[in-house]
Each structure stands twice: as structure tokens, then as C-alpha cells.
Amino acid sequence: MTAPAGGTGEIYRIDWLPGTDVLHGTCHCGAEHAAQDPVEMWEWMLGHPEGHQPPERTP
């Protein structure tokens, strides 16, 4: 599922991992999170920047 946030061009992506009860979320900032509860996943995504640690970029 992908949902634009307020027309800002931010993309939040949630994928279901087949064969499991796990959801894998990717925030527009590049941070990733896994959870079994869809409410927990959306709270994490929309709670930006709390809990968000984008991947470190190496030059």
C-alpha cells in the first residue's frame, strides 16, 4: 500500500511479507520498520521523526 501524505510528495510504503503476519514499512525518509500490527505501523510512520533513523549514507 502506498499513500501520499497531504500532497507533499511524501510516499509511505507498507508491504506484507507473504507467509508471515509481518508488515514491512518504508518511510519517505528511507527509514524502515517491521510490525505485525497495522496500527503500530501507521503510528510509527506518521510519528515522524520519533523512531525514525534513516539509513546512514556513505560517500
Side-chain angles (χ1 to χ4, degrees), residues 2-53:
T2 305
T8 62
E10 297 172 348
I11 301 294
Y12 298 86
R13 182 174 183 91
I14 298 176
D15 296 307
W16 166 65
L17 301 177
T20 71
D21 291 335
V22 177
L23 300 170
H24 178 261
T26 306
C27 181
H28 64 89
C29 72
E32 297 181 342
H33 182 71
Q36 291 186 350
D37 180 12
V39 173
E40 175 189 340
M41 178 63 70
W42 280 108
E43 286 176 349
W44 174 81
M45 287 203 162
L46 299 175
H48 210 284
E50 287 185 31
H52 284 72
Q53 298 298 324

